[in-house]
Amino acid sequence: MSTAWMRQCRPYKLTILILLLLILLPLLAHRKLLNAELDAPPTDVHRSRPLLDAYEDFTAMRASDLKMRIEEMLRIKSTVSVELRELESRRQKLQSDISQYNQKLEELKQELLREQTELERLKISVEQAQVAQREAVQRNTPELALPRTLTPNSLPRRMKGISDGVAAACEMHNCFDHSRCSLTSGFPVYLYDPDVYNVQRSGYDIDGFLKTTIKQTLGYNAHIVRDPKQACIYLVLVGEALLEEDLLRNNRYAAQEEVAQHPHILSNSMAANNSPIDLGKLYQLPYWGGDGRNHVLLNLARRDLNSARTNPLLQQNTMRAIIVQSTFERDQFRPNYDLIVPPILGPPGGDVWQECASMVPARRKYLLTFQGELRPSQAALQPLDDFIMEHLKDMSRSSTQDQFLLQFQCVPATEQQETGSLGDWTLCGSDSSRKQLLKDSTYVLILPPLGQRVSSTLMLARLYEALRSGAVPVILGADELRLPYAETIDWRRTALLLPKARITELHFLLRAVQDSDLLLLRRQGRLIWERYLSSVQATVDTVIASMRDRLGIPPRPVPPVVAQSVFNSTFIPLKSEPPVGMDTEPEESLGPIEPPYPSPAFRRNYTILRIQSKEAWNDWMDPFFLYPQLPFDPALPSEAKFMGSHTGFRPIGKGIGGAGKEFSEALGGNYPREQFTIVILTYEREQVLMESLGRLYGLPYLHKVVVVWNSPKPPLDDLRWPDIGVPVSVVRAPRNSLNNRFLPFDVIETEAVLSVDDDAHLRHDEILFGFRVWREHRDRVVGFPGRYHAWDLSSNNLWHYNSNYSCELSMVLTGAAFIHKYYMFLYTYQLPQAIRDKVDEYMNCEDIAMNFLVSHLTRRPPVKVTSRWTFRCPGCPVSLSEDDTHFQERHKCINFFSQVFGYTPLLNTQYRADSILFKTRIPHDKQKCFKYI
């Protein structure tokens, strides 16, 4: 029991003990603190007294003591102030040092970043070089060797002549000697001098104008050779042959009398009996070889369109010689062997645009016109021909909103041609009267000759005049006819070809053609006329090109402009660092550093005119020259880059793709690797030029810079040319002309050409983005500043050049634009001279001319890249483009160029190109294609 009681008392004791401790401990602590205060030394009364008490002490002091006290305090204040100023100065100096050190630290960080970026570029460059080395080792084959030349370098062997029957069956495989025409021969052509080798009968001679012009024209042709041993073909000029006036008059009367007695008989036999060609002289030509193989007989009509002598070779045994003329009978013409050409109705050469009418509006005064008279009038018509004539007369008398002018008799009679080719439709009126009517005609009807003719000089003269004036030819009975250069020219894109049986549906068909198709036919017809029919030069060049194309021999390379350096000795640029004080480039890796790599040239010599012959003749309109590259070269399928055709390709991420980092390491795209050339046109602005060159330091994919020195004064001797890491060619211009910007200099070795003004200010990333975009639009102008042509509603149908901000543009200024070098050849050699003359007259508008040219050929607008609307550098001297007269001249240029082209080829576009990931949110571990684009 006691134990239990003790267990109950133990908690009470513990509680009492805790209470005692809580009471005693504070008492002991308080006592200890009191003892400590008593033992402490006495304190300074003045220090512990309030400040007011201290001031009260001064009242008890004497004035002298107080003065001394004040002076002492002032000295203390002055000393403290000095010390404070020194401390502040030291603080400011320390802050300045800290700021400088921070700035230097940032510079070191930037330098480290640049070096790291440069290191990455060098690593990529090494990898690219290793890939190129592996490709070279894998290829490990020499360049394709030229085949053994088949040209025997000797005159044609003497062969036995052939009969009329054998000659009538001639084709290229059995009558032409291919052994004289190697693929690598360049297609050499020899011309018999018509003043020496006259194959006409006594009393006849070749038209003097034609003889002289043909000789001069062929003298400009690159295929002509003087050594007959080297020739592939031999040209013999056999016509147009003319009689003396009295013989001509007697022959005309005899022909008319014979036809009047026998109206159902055409003049075939008469033409054969009265042929001006002396076959004996023809067979005795020194290189005839017995059978005339590889000889081409040129019978070109010019003045005597209606005479039967337009076919002097009818029923003549010309053996294996190829006949080139306008008129052929059905049993005379040998398809794919003989060649039909239009008559020579144009000038010797030069610009012919003034002969043409405007292409717009699409619909003209008359829907359909025809003027002609059948000769002789007694010629018998077939039943279908009778029906056609009656239907056409009814069509002209019909009361519809469409106007027809169909005249089947020449009115007045004095305006008709002197004679008519028997069984053919003679021309009415003069050339000027017919031209005026055709300019008012939407379509012009071309009726076939009667009888067995597949082509006639009069019919082709009508075709020539129609295309010249922009009247779309409607050729009736086209399925029975042969048109000029039919092997190469696609006449379905130029004319409406109808069988005679479609005569009742003619009006319906003409009405069904939409304006867009009508203008397309008209435009194609003008291109065909300008390039192949318009002049003696065009005809001769087309004949030679047609023969060469038939044999599959590539044309001659287009001649580049040989660059002449402005320096008398070797130009060595001064070593320099990257430009200082200019806008710094964005800190990003834009591409590897590569050694100069020119674009492969002339790789499609033997395939382009076999695979794309129709395009060359009908789209590009240039089968006459071979170009190093074309903007129309085809791209390979995507998988070919990884399966057998990988050489030269640099796919993004080696094929797996990627964002900014992988994008900057390779060009990617659909074409093999390449570089670009910068062409800078400058005139006596050396300092601006040097700054522009300096900004190009370290620009990836830059192959070379070509400076076109437009000034007659050479550069100063002390001019410091910067070393930008790539060659700089300073080329002397022939004269001060803005056309020099587009001269195809031989020092330009890349397809891509960046044309820039000397004061253009572009960042590296902008240039490279433009280059990448151009690689996908190689046939277009790709650049930065956009402009457009605006219709002036207040004027008489005129265009205005406009540089205002707009959501639609039609031009990209070539002061900062990529173009293909192909267009530089066309600008120099094919653009009408009148346009280049206008550029020289105004010292302006060359960029507009280039936009006209490219849009004319491609029917596509330019491509604008980035948001830039101008490219002028800040602080540069004011250029000519700031003058108001500059804009007035550009207004005039657009309207004049439209007259020359016959229409305005510029097309509008409403978009610009930016990089794919621009303004796209991406993960933090990814980079954009370009930081600022």
Side-chain angles (χ1 to χ4, degrees):
M1 181 158 179
S2 60
T3 305
W5 180 83
M6 292 181 66
R7 290 178 179 173
Q8 293 178 359
C9 294
R10 188 174 297 171
Y12 296 105
K13 292 181 178 180
L14 182 60
T15 303
I16 294 171
L17 181 61
I18 292 174
L19 290 174
L20 291 173
L21 290 175
L22 291 176
I23 295 172
L24 293 175
L25 286 176
L27 293 174
L28 294 174
H30 180 67
R31 183 178 180 183
K32 187 175 182 179
L33 290 175
L34 289 176
N35 294 333
E37 289 179 358
L38 294 174
D39 296 337
T43 59
D44 190 352
V45 177
H46 297 286
R47 292 182 182 270
S48 60
R49 289 170 59 188
L51 184 61
L52 185 58
D53 296 342
Y55 284 118
E56 291 175 356
D57 292 341
F58 287 108
T59 59
M61 297 179 62
R62 292 179 301 175
S64 59
D65 294 339
L66 181 60
K67 181 179 179 182
M68 292 178 59
R69 185 68 174 173
I70 292 173
E71 290 177 353
E72 182 179 2
M73 292 181 69
L74 290 175
R75 285 194 300 270
I76 293 172
K77 178 183 177 183
S78 175
T79 304
V80 171
S81 298
V82 172
E83 291 178 355
L84 288 175
R85 283 195 296 269
E86 291 179 354
L87 289 174
E88 179 64 21
S89 176
R90 291 175 61 186
R91 187 185 67 81
Q92 291 179 357
K93 185 176 182 304
L94 288 175
Q95 286 182 342
S96 176
D97 292 343
I98 291 173
S99 176
Q100 291 179 0
Y101 287 130
N102 287 334
Q103 183 179 356
K104 189 172 183 180
L105 181 61
E106 290 298 323
E107 291 177 356
L108 291 174
K109 288 180 179 179
Q110 294 293 330
E111 182 67 22
L112 177 62
L113 185 59
R114 282 194 294 268
E115 294 298 333
Q116 288 176 343
T117 303
E118 189 70 15
L119 181 60
E120 290 297 325
R121 293 177 60 185
L122 290 174
K123 288 181 180 179
I124 298 171
S125 302
V126 171
E127 293 177 0
Q128 298 272 5
Q130 291 173 347
V131 172
Q133 183 184 17
R134 285 197 299 270
E135 290 175 349
V137 172
Q138 290 173 2
R139 186 167 60 243
N140 196 26
T141 55
E143 292 294 329
L144 181 64
L146 294 177
R148 180 172 174 267
T149 302
L150 298 178
T151 303
N153 198 27
S154 61
L155 297 175
R157 292 180 300 165
R158 194 74 182 176
M159 304 291 287
K160 185 179 180 180
I162 60 174
S163 63
D164 291 350
V166 176
C170 268
E171 296 182 14
M172 292 297 292
H173 69 89
N174 60 7
C175 286
F176 193 86
D177 184 7
H178 288 77
S179 67
R180 300 195 65 86
C181 305
S182 169
L183 287 176
T184 60
S185 65
F187 193 63
V189 177
Y190 179 82
L191 172 68
Y192 286 96
D193 190 340
D195 292 324
V196 178
Y197 300 101
N198 188 352
V199 297
Q200 280 70 36
R201 291 168 50 194
S202 177
Y204 290 86
D205 196 7
I206 298 175
D207 176 37
F209 169 83
L210 194 61
K211 183 192 305 183
T212 303
T213 306
I214 291 293
K215 289 177 62 176
Q216 293 178 349
T217 300
L218 285 174
Y220 301 134
N221 195 285
H223 295 280
I224 293 296
V225 295
R226 297 183 180 275
D227 186 357
K229 296 180 180 179
Q230 301 175 357
C232 167
I233 63 172
Y234 299 83
L235 300 181
V236 185
L237 186 60
V238 300
E240 179 179 56
L242 299 178
L243 267 174
E244 296 179 2
E245 192 62 27
D246 55 340
L247 296 178
L248 178 62
R249 191 162 47 247
N250 293 337
N251 188 48
R252 182 190 313 141
Y253 294 154
Q256 291 175 347
E257 182 179 355
E258 182 173 349
V259 173
Q261 296 176 359
H262 307 283
H264 63 285
I265 301 177
L266 298 180
S267 61
N268 293 356
S269 60
M270 182 187 66
N273 295 333
N274 295 316
S275 172
I277 305 300
D278 188 333
L279 291 181
K281 294 181 179 179
L282 185 66
Y283 297 162
Q284 293 175 3
L285 290 174
Y287 318 118
W288 184 259
D291 58 0
R293 61 192 179 280
N294 291 37
H295 277 61
V296 178
L297 307 182
L298 298 176
N299 178 37
L300 305 175
R302 188 177 81 90
R303 294 193 301 180
D304 201 4
L305 302 182
N306 294 340
S307 173
R309 286 190 307 277
T310 56
N311 193 1
L313 299 174
L314 180 63
Q315 297 184 358
Q316 303 291 315
N317 184 11
T318 55
M319 300 189 185
R320 289 190 168 95
I322 297 173
I323 300 175
V324 177
Q325 61 182 22
S326 301
T327 302
F328 278 99
E329 300 294 327
R330 191 175 307 280
D331 57 357
Q332 178 192 12
F333 182 72
R334 296 166 291 185
N336 298 323
Y337 196 73
D338 294 328
L339 193 63
I340 298 175
V341 298
I344 302 293
L345 300 178
D351 280 1
V352 293
W353 63 271
Q354 292 177 324
E355 298 290 324
C356 301
S358 175
M359 296 187 199
V360 290
R363 307 284 173 175
R364 297 176 175 177
K365 178 180 180 181
Y366 298 105
L367 179 65
L368 180 68
T369 62
F370 177 83
Q371 280 185 322
E373 186 171 343
L374 186 62
R375 293 302 176 122
S377 58
Q378 304 93 337
L381 296 176
Q382 297 296 324
L384 179 58
D385 296 327
D386 278 330
F387 176 77
I388 290 173
M389 298 302 301
E390 290 300 325
H391 184 80
L392 289 173
K393 291 177 182 178
D394 291 341
M395 184 186 299
S396 63
R397 292 191 294 265
S398 62
S399 58
T400 65
Q401 62 178 353
D402 298 319
Q403 295 191 49
F404 298 90
L405 197 155
L406 302 176
Q407 297 179 355
F408 300 103
Q409 287 185 344
C410 294
V411 180
T414 54
E415 286 192 1
Q416 67 188 35
Q417 298 289 325
E418 293 182 359
T419 63
S421 293
L422 303 182
D424 207 347
W425 295 91
T426 188
L427 297 172
C428 293
S430 62
D431 178 74
S432 59
S433 66
R434 294 193 301 271
K435 181 186 294 185
Q436 185 58 47
L437 177 62
L438 291 172
K439 287 182 178 181
D440 292 334
S441 305
T442 305
Y443 300 94
V444 60
L445 182 64
I446 297 180
L447 296 175
L450 302 182
Q452 297 298 312
R453 289 198 183 114
V454 295
S455 177
S456 73
T457 305
L458 278 173
M459 184 191 74
L460 298 186
R462 291 181 180 276
L463 180 63
Y464 174 97
E465 292 181 352
L467 298 180
R468 177 185 63 183
S469 298
V472 176
V474 179
I475 304 178
L476 206 61
D479 52 341
E480 305 172 7
L481 301 174
R482 301 280 183 172
L483 295 177
Y485 314 117
E487 296 175 49
T488 52
I489 295 179
D490 187 358
W491 287 101
R492 294 173 299 179
R493 299 175 55 182
T494 302
L496 297 180
L497 311 179
L498 301 175
K500 293 179 179 179
R502 296 290 185 193
I503 184 62
T504 59
E505 301 169 308
L506 177 59
H507 190 188
F508 170 79
L509 178 60
L510 299 184
R511 292 283 303 189
V513 178
Q514 298 298 302
D515 287 0
S516 57
D517 293 329
L518 177 57
L519 290 173
L520 192 63
L521 288 166
R522 187 174 293 162
R523 172 183 175 274
Q524 187 71 10
R526 172 161 173 170
L527 291 177
I528 294 294
W529 181 83
E530 286 180 337
R531 294 297 289 162
Y532 308 130
L533 314 178
S534 60
S535 64
V536 180
Q537 179 83 54
T539 300
V540 171
D541 290 346
T542 306
V543 168
I544 293 178
S546 298
M547 299 300 301
R548 178 189 47 71
D549 185 273
R550 181 184 291 177
L551 294 171
I553 299 175
R556 299 279 186 174
V558 63
V561 175
V562 179
Q564 301 292 333
S565 175
V566 299
F567 301 102
N568 296 326
S569 58
T570 304
F571 166 55
I572 303 177
L574 296 174
K575 297 292 182 180
S576 65
E577 296 298 328
V580 178
M582 301 182 187
D583 292 348
T584 57
E585 298 296 333
E587 296 297 339
E588 56 179 325
S589 177
L590 298 174
I593 301 173
E594 297 179 330
Y597 177 75
S599 298
F602 299 107
R603 292 297 182 93
R604 304 182 65 210
N605 297 0
Y606 301 97
T607 56
I608 187 168
L609 286 183
R610 294 175 181 268
I611 299 174
Q612 296 178 286
S613 177
K614 288 296 183 182
E615 290 86 346
W617 283 86
N618 298 278
D619 293 329
W620 313 333
M621 297 294 169
D622 194 1
F624 306 114
F625 288 105
L626 189 66
Y627 292 89
Q629 309 92 6
L630 289 174
F632 319 107
D633 289 341
L636 290 174
S638 294
E639 61 267 30
K641 293 180 286 188
F642 310 99
M643 301 172 62
S645 302
H646 61 278
T647 302
F649 285 95
R650 300 293 183 267
I652 304 299
K654 300 182 179 179
I656 63 175
K661 180 179 183 301
E662 296 80 9
F663 178 77
S664 65
E665 294 175 354
L667 266 179
N670 303 311
Y671 293 89
R673 69 182 180 117
E674 60 184 327
Q675 298 176 346
F676 62 92
T677 302
I678 292 181
V679 176
I680 303 177
L681 185 71
T682 187
Y683 185 88
E684 297 184 0
R685 293 201 294 183
E686 289 85 350
Q687 189 57 40
V688 173
L689 173 64
M690 295 304 106
E691 293 176 357
S692 296
L693 287 174
R695 286 191 293 269
L696 300 177
Y697 178 85
L699 179 60
Y701 305 116
L702 178 59
H703 178 263
K704 184 186 297 182
V705 177
V706 176
V707 177
V708 181
W709 194 265
N710 234 17
S711 172
K713 301 177 182 178
L716 300 176
D717 295 335
D718 58 350
L719 193 61
R720 297 181 61 85
W721 294 84
D723 181 9
I724 60 175
V726 298
V728 178
S729 298
V730 187
V731 178
R732 179 187 293 110
R735 57 191 177 89
N736 182 18
S737 170
L738 293 181
N739 293 312
N740 297 333
R741 179 193 297 277
F742 302 124
L743 288 177
F745 290 110
D746 54 357
V747 294
I748 301 175
E749 301 176 288
T750 59
E751 296 184 58
V753 177
L754 174 58
S755 171
V756 296
D757 288 344
D758 55 5
D759 59 351
H761 193 276
L762 297 173
R763 302 196 313 265
H764 285 191
D765 58 338
E766 292 175 318
I767 294 175
L768 292 183
F769 177 68
F771 176 52
R772 288 179 179 270
V773 172
W774 175 88
R775 280 169 47 82
E776 300 179 20
H777 303 278
R778 310 173 77 86
D779 60 337
R780 298 159 80 173
V781 179
V782 177
F784 300 90
R787 301 293 184 265
Y788 64 100
H789 63 303
W791 190 252
D792 186 2
L793 298 176
S794 62
S795 64
N796 186 19
N797 297 337
L798 294 176
W799 290 109
H800 272 195
Y801 172 84
N802 203 312
S803 62
N804 296 332
Y805 294 104
S806 170
C807 294
E808 199 171 55
L809 60 89
S810 58
M811 292 174 283
V812 166
L813 303 186
T814 54
F818 282 92
I819 58 173
H820 198 284
K821 187 182 178 182
Y822 170 73
Y823 294 124
M824 303 176 78
F825 285 108
L826 299 190
Y827 186 97
T828 303
Y829 297 135
Q830 286 192 21
L831 193 69
Q833 183 62 41
I835 292 181
R836 295 194 295 271
D837 291 342
K838 185 63 67 174
V839 170
D840 287 336
E841 176 185 347
Y842 288 151
M843 283 300 288
N844 198 345
C845 305
E846 84 287 356
D847 47 0
I848 300 178
M850 177 59 78
N851 278 272
F852 263 69
L853 174 64
V854 176
S855 295
H856 173 63
L857 292 175
T858 63
R859 301 307 298 131
R860 292 182 178 182
V863 178
K864 173 175 169 46
V865 294
T866 77
S867 60
R868 272 187 178 268
W869 201 255
T870 183
F871 53 83
R872 301 297 178 191
C873 62
C876 287
V878 177
S879 61
L880 295 175
S881 62
E882 302 297 330
D883 191 359
D884 183 62
T885 59
H886 171 83
F887 289 92
Q888 297 300 323
E889 291 169 352
R890 293 172 86 79
H891 301 330
K892 297 176 183 178
C893 284
I894 291 181
N895 291 285
F896 177 73
F897 296 169
S898 298
Q899 292 179 14
V900 174
F901 280 94
Y903 73 116
T904 305
L906 300 176
L907 294 174
N908 294 322
T909 181
Q910 298 179 354
Y911 82 96
R912 75 175 190 225
D914 292 305
S915 63
I916 291 178
L917 296 181
F918 181 62
K919 291 190 176 180
T920 300
R921 292 188 177 183
I922 60 175
H924 296 293
D925 59 339
K926 299 293 184 181
Q927 298 178 8
K928 291 192 174 184
C929 311
F930 293 92
K931 286 185 179 180
Y932 307 99
I933 298 176

